[in-house]
Short mmCIF file of all heavy atoms in Angstrom, two decimals:
data_model
loop_
_atom_site.label_atom_id
_atom_site.label_comp_id
_atom_site.label_asym_id
_atom_site.label_seq_id
_atom_site.Cartn_x
_atom_site.Cartn_y
_atom_site.Cartn_z
N PHE A 65 0.77 -13.01 -17.61
CA PHE A 65 2.18 -12.66 -17.53
C PHE A 65 2.45 -11.24 -18.01
O PHE A 65 3.47 -10.64 -17.66
CB PHE A 65 3.04 -13.70 -18.25
CG PHE A 65 3.03 -15.00 -17.50
CD1 PHE A 65 2.25 -16.06 -17.91
CD2 PHE A 65 3.75 -15.13 -16.32
CE1 PHE A 65 2.20 -17.24 -17.19
CE2 PHE A 65 3.72 -16.30 -15.58
CZ PHE A 65 2.94 -17.37 -16.02
N ASP A 66 1.51 -10.68 -18.76
CA ASP A 66 1.55 -9.24 -19.04
C ASP A 66 1.29 -8.47 -17.75
O ASP A 66 1.87 -7.42 -17.51
CB ASP A 66 0.52 -8.88 -20.10
CG ASP A 66 0.69 -7.47 -20.63
OD1 ASP A 66 1.81 -6.94 -20.53
OD2 ASP A 66 -0.29 -6.90 -21.14
N VAL A 67 0.42 -9.03 -16.88
CA VAL A 67 0.16 -8.44 -15.57
C VAL A 67 1.45 -8.35 -14.77
O VAL A 67 1.79 -7.29 -14.22
CB VAL A 67 -0.89 -9.26 -14.79
CG1 VAL A 67 -0.90 -8.87 -13.31
CG2 VAL A 67 -2.28 -9.07 -15.39
N PHE A 68 2.19 -9.44 -14.69
CA PHE A 68 3.43 -9.44 -13.91
C PHE A 68 4.44 -8.45 -14.48
O PHE A 68 5.10 -7.72 -13.74
CB PHE A 68 4.04 -10.84 -13.88
CG PHE A 68 3.19 -11.86 -13.18
CD1 PHE A 68 2.85 -13.05 -13.80
CD2 PHE A 68 2.73 -11.62 -11.90
CE1 PHE A 68 2.07 -13.99 -13.16
CE2 PHE A 68 1.95 -12.56 -11.25
CZ PHE A 68 1.62 -13.74 -11.88
N ASP A 69 4.56 -8.44 -15.79
CA ASP A 69 5.53 -7.56 -16.44
C ASP A 69 5.25 -6.10 -16.08
O ASP A 69 6.17 -5.34 -15.77
CB ASP A 69 5.46 -7.76 -17.96
CG ASP A 69 6.65 -7.15 -18.68
OD1 ASP A 69 7.78 -7.33 -18.22
OD2 ASP A 69 6.43 -6.47 -19.70
N LYS A 70 3.97 -5.71 -16.08
CA LYS A 70 3.61 -4.33 -15.75
C LYS A 70 3.77 -4.05 -14.26
O LYS A 70 4.21 -2.96 -13.87
CB LYS A 70 2.19 -4.04 -16.22
CG LYS A 70 2.05 -3.93 -17.73
CD LYS A 70 0.64 -3.51 -18.15
CE LYS A 70 0.55 -3.34 -19.66
NZ LYS A 70 -0.80 -2.92 -20.11
N LEU A 71 3.40 -5.01 -13.42
CA LEU A 71 3.50 -4.79 -11.98
C LEU A 71 4.93 -4.57 -11.55
O LEU A 71 5.21 -3.75 -10.65
CB LEU A 71 2.89 -5.97 -11.22
CG LEU A 71 1.37 -6.05 -11.20
CD1 LEU A 71 0.91 -7.34 -10.56
CD2 LEU A 71 0.77 -4.85 -10.46
N PHE A 72 5.85 -5.28 -12.15
CA PHE A 72 7.26 -5.11 -11.79
C PHE A 72 7.84 -3.80 -12.33
O PHE A 72 8.95 -3.41 -11.97
CB PHE A 72 8.10 -6.29 -12.27
CG PHE A 72 7.81 -7.57 -11.54
CD1 PHE A 72 7.52 -8.73 -12.22
CD2 PHE A 72 7.84 -7.60 -10.15
CE1 PHE A 72 7.26 -9.92 -11.54
CE2 PHE A 72 7.58 -8.78 -9.46
CZ PHE A 72 7.29 -9.94 -10.16
N MET A 73 7.07 -3.11 -13.16
CA MET A 73 7.48 -1.80 -13.66
C MET A 73 6.81 -0.67 -12.88
O MET A 73 7.47 0.30 -12.47
CB MET A 73 7.15 -1.67 -15.14
CG MET A 73 7.33 -0.25 -15.71
SD MET A 73 9.03 0.35 -15.69
CE MET A 73 9.70 -0.61 -17.05
N VAL A 74 5.50 -0.74 -12.64
CA VAL A 74 4.77 0.38 -12.03
C VAL A 74 4.28 0.10 -10.61
O VAL A 74 3.85 1.01 -9.91
CB VAL A 74 3.58 0.81 -12.92
CG1 VAL A 74 4.05 1.18 -14.31
CG2 VAL A 74 2.50 -0.26 -12.98
N GLY A 75 4.31 -1.16 -10.17
CA GLY A 75 3.85 -1.50 -8.83
C GLY A 75 2.35 -1.64 -8.74
O GLY A 75 1.62 -1.56 -9.73
N ASP A 76 1.88 -1.83 -7.51
CA ASP A 76 0.45 -1.95 -7.24
C ASP A 76 0.00 -0.70 -6.49
O ASP A 76 0.56 -0.38 -5.44
CB ASP A 76 0.19 -3.20 -6.40
CG ASP A 76 -1.30 -3.45 -6.18
OD1 ASP A 76 -2.09 -3.14 -7.09
OD2 ASP A 76 -1.66 -3.94 -5.10
N LYS A 77 -1.00 0.00 -7.02
CA LYS A 77 -1.35 1.31 -6.49
C LYS A 77 -2.68 1.31 -5.76
O LYS A 77 -3.53 0.46 -6.00
CB LYS A 77 -1.35 2.34 -7.61
CG LYS A 77 -0.02 2.36 -8.35
CD LYS A 77 0.14 3.55 -9.25
CE LYS A 77 1.49 3.50 -9.95
NZ LYS A 77 2.61 3.40 -9.03
N ALA A 78 -2.83 2.29 -4.86
CA ALA A 78 -4.07 2.43 -4.11
C ALA A 78 -5.21 2.80 -5.04
O ALA A 78 -5.01 3.30 -6.15
CB ALA A 78 -3.89 3.50 -3.03
N SER A 79 -6.43 2.59 -4.56
CA SER A 79 -7.61 2.74 -5.42
C SER A 79 -7.79 4.15 -5.94
O SER A 79 -8.35 4.36 -7.01
CB SER A 79 -8.87 2.29 -4.68
OG SER A 79 -9.06 3.05 -3.50
N ASN A 80 -7.33 5.17 -5.18
CA ASN A 80 -7.50 6.54 -5.65
C ASN A 80 -6.70 6.82 -6.92
O ASN A 80 -7.02 7.74 -7.67
CB ASN A 80 -7.08 7.54 -4.57
CG ASN A 80 -7.49 8.96 -4.91
OD1 ASN A 80 -8.66 9.24 -5.10
ND2 ASN A 80 -6.53 9.85 -5.02
N PHE A 81 -5.68 6.03 -7.17
CA PHE A 81 -4.89 6.19 -8.40
C PHE A 81 -5.60 5.55 -9.59
O PHE A 81 -5.20 5.77 -10.73
CB PHE A 81 -3.51 5.57 -8.22
CG PHE A 81 -2.66 6.28 -7.21
CD1 PHE A 81 -2.75 5.97 -5.87
CD2 PHE A 81 -1.79 7.29 -7.59
CE1 PHE A 81 -1.99 6.62 -4.93
CE2 PHE A 81 -1.02 7.96 -6.66
CZ PHE A 81 -1.12 7.63 -5.32
N TYR A 82 -6.62 4.78 -9.29
CA TYR A 82 -7.34 4.06 -10.34
C TYR A 82 -8.71 4.67 -10.59
O TYR A 82 -9.11 4.88 -11.73
CB TYR A 82 -7.49 2.59 -9.92
CG TYR A 82 -8.38 1.75 -10.80
CD1 TYR A 82 -8.01 1.43 -12.10
CD2 TYR A 82 -9.60 1.28 -10.33
CE1 TYR A 82 -8.82 0.66 -12.91
CE2 TYR A 82 -10.42 0.50 -11.14
CZ TYR A 82 -10.03 0.19 -12.42
OH TYR A 82 -10.85 -0.57 -13.22
N ASN A 83 -9.44 4.99 -9.53
CA ASN A 83 -10.79 5.51 -9.67
C ASN A 83 -10.79 6.97 -10.11
O ASN A 83 -9.80 7.69 -9.95
CB ASN A 83 -11.57 5.36 -8.36
CG ASN A 83 -11.87 3.90 -8.06
OD1 ASN A 83 -12.10 3.12 -8.96
ND2 ASN A 83 -11.85 3.54 -6.78
N ASP A 84 -11.92 7.42 -10.62
CA ASP A 84 -12.07 8.79 -11.08
C ASP A 84 -11.95 9.72 -9.87
O ASP A 84 -12.75 9.63 -8.93
CB ASP A 84 -13.42 8.97 -11.76
CG ASP A 84 -13.53 10.30 -12.50
OD1 ASP A 84 -12.91 11.27 -12.03
OD2 ASP A 84 -14.25 10.37 -13.50
N ILE A 85 -11.02 10.63 -9.89
CA ILE A 85 -10.76 11.47 -8.73
C ILE A 85 -11.91 12.43 -8.44
O ILE A 85 -12.06 12.92 -7.31
CB ILE A 85 -9.45 12.26 -8.94
CG1 ILE A 85 -8.90 12.75 -7.61
CG2 ILE A 85 -9.64 13.43 -9.89
CD1 ILE A 85 -7.49 13.28 -7.68
N ALA A 86 -12.75 12.71 -9.41
CA ALA A 86 -13.80 13.71 -9.23
C ALA A 86 -15.11 13.12 -8.74
O ALA A 86 -16.05 13.85 -8.47
CB ALA A 86 -14.04 14.45 -10.55
N LYS A 87 -15.21 11.80 -8.62
CA LYS A 87 -16.48 11.18 -8.29
C LYS A 87 -16.43 10.48 -6.94
O LYS A 87 -15.40 9.99 -6.50
CB LYS A 87 -16.88 10.17 -9.37
CG LYS A 87 -17.08 10.80 -10.74
CD LYS A 87 -17.44 9.74 -11.76
CE LYS A 87 -17.58 10.35 -13.15
NZ LYS A 87 -17.90 9.33 -14.17
N LEU A 88 -17.59 10.41 -6.30
CA LEU A 88 -17.69 9.66 -5.07
C LEU A 88 -17.60 8.17 -5.34
O LEU A 88 -17.11 7.40 -4.54
CB LEU A 88 -19.01 9.97 -4.35
CG LEU A 88 -19.08 11.35 -3.71
CD1 LEU A 88 -20.49 11.61 -3.21
CD2 LEU A 88 -18.11 11.44 -2.55
N ASP A 89 -18.14 7.72 -6.45
CA ASP A 89 -18.01 6.33 -6.86
C ASP A 89 -18.16 6.28 -8.38
O ASP A 89 -18.24 7.31 -9.04
CB ASP A 89 -19.04 5.43 -6.15
CG ASP A 89 -20.47 5.92 -6.35
OD1 ASP A 89 -20.83 6.24 -7.50
OD2 ASP A 89 -21.22 5.98 -5.36
N ASN A 90 -18.23 5.08 -8.91
CA ASN A 90 -18.26 4.94 -10.37
C ASN A 90 -19.67 4.95 -10.95
O ASN A 90 -19.86 4.72 -12.13
CB ASN A 90 -17.57 3.63 -10.78
CG ASN A 90 -16.09 3.69 -10.47
OD1 ASN A 90 -15.49 4.76 -10.53
ND2 ASN A 90 -15.51 2.55 -10.14
N LYS A 91 -20.68 5.23 -10.10
CA LYS A 91 -22.06 5.13 -10.57
C LYS A 91 -22.78 6.48 -10.67
O LYS A 91 -23.90 6.54 -11.12
CB LYS A 91 -22.84 4.21 -9.64
CG LYS A 91 -22.32 2.78 -9.61
CD LYS A 91 -23.14 1.93 -8.66
CE LYS A 91 -22.60 0.50 -8.62
NZ LYS A 91 -23.36 -0.35 -7.66
N ASN A 92 -22.15 7.54 -10.18
CA ASN A 92 -22.82 8.83 -10.27
C ASN A 92 -21.82 9.93 -10.59
O ASN A 92 -20.63 9.68 -10.69
CB ASN A 92 -23.56 9.13 -8.95
CG ASN A 92 -22.62 9.19 -7.77
OD1 ASN A 92 -21.62 9.90 -7.79
ND2 ASN A 92 -22.93 8.43 -6.72
N GLU A 93 -22.33 11.12 -10.74
CA GLU A 93 -21.49 12.25 -11.14
C GLU A 93 -21.27 13.23 -9.99
O GLU A 93 -20.88 14.36 -10.21
CB GLU A 93 -22.15 12.98 -12.33
CG GLU A 93 -22.28 12.13 -13.58
CD GLU A 93 -20.93 11.67 -14.11
OE1 GLU A 93 -19.97 12.44 -13.98
OE2 GLU A 93 -20.86 10.57 -14.66
N LEU A 94 -21.56 12.80 -8.76
CA LEU A 94 -21.34 13.68 -7.62
C LEU A 94 -19.84 13.93 -7.45
O LEU A 94 -19.04 13.01 -7.40
CB LEU A 94 -21.90 13.03 -6.34
CG LEU A 94 -23.41 12.86 -6.28
CD1 LEU A 94 -23.80 12.11 -5.02
CD2 LEU A 94 -24.12 14.21 -6.33
N ARG A 95 -19.50 15.20 -7.34
CA ARG A 95 -18.09 15.55 -7.17
C ARG A 95 -17.76 15.65 -5.69
O ARG A 95 -18.60 15.92 -4.86
CB ARG A 95 -17.78 16.88 -7.87
CG ARG A 95 -18.00 16.84 -9.37
CD ARG A 95 -17.59 18.15 -10.01
NE ARG A 95 -16.17 18.38 -9.88
CZ ARG A 95 -15.25 17.91 -10.71
NH1 ARG A 95 -15.61 17.16 -11.73
NH2 ARG A 95 -13.97 18.18 -10.53
N ARG A 96 -16.50 15.43 -5.36
CA ARG A 96 -16.06 15.60 -3.98
C ARG A 96 -14.94 16.63 -3.94
O ARG A 96 -14.31 16.92 -4.97
CB ARG A 96 -15.60 14.27 -3.38
CG ARG A 96 -14.28 13.75 -3.89
CD ARG A 96 -13.91 12.44 -3.19
NE ARG A 96 -12.53 12.08 -3.36
CZ ARG A 96 -12.05 11.39 -4.38
NH1 ARG A 96 -12.87 10.98 -5.33
NH2 ARG A 96 -10.77 11.11 -4.47
N ASN A 97 -14.71 17.17 -2.76
CA ASN A 97 -13.68 18.20 -2.62
C ASN A 97 -12.70 17.83 -1.51
O ASN A 97 -12.06 18.69 -0.92
CB ASN A 97 -14.31 19.57 -2.34
CG ASN A 97 -15.19 19.53 -1.09
OD1 ASN A 97 -15.37 18.47 -0.49
ND2 ASN A 97 -15.76 20.67 -0.74
N TYR A 98 -12.56 16.53 -1.22
CA TYR A 98 -11.70 16.07 -0.15
C TYR A 98 -10.93 14.84 -0.61
O TYR A 98 -11.33 14.14 -1.53
CB TYR A 98 -12.51 15.73 1.10
CG TYR A 98 -13.72 14.87 0.82
CD1 TYR A 98 -13.62 13.49 0.76
CD2 TYR A 98 -14.96 15.45 0.59
CE1 TYR A 98 -14.71 12.69 0.48
CE2 TYR A 98 -16.07 14.66 0.31
CZ TYR A 98 -15.94 13.29 0.27
OH TYR A 98 -17.04 12.51 -0.03
#
Side-chain angles (χ1 to χ4, degrees):
F65 290 102
D66 191 23
V67 165
F68 296 127
D69 194 45
K70 288 185 177 181
L71 285 173
F72 291 128
M73 170 65 75
V74 303
D76 185 34
K77 305 193 180 305
S79 59
N80 191 59
F81 294 86
Y82 172 69
N83 290 326
D84 191 329
I85 200 168
K87 298 178 183 179
L88 288 172
D89 55 47
N90 293 328
K91 298 180 181 178
N92 60 52
E93 297 298 326
L94 294 175
R95 297 184 65 85
R96 72 179 196 273
N97 57 357
Y98 48 85

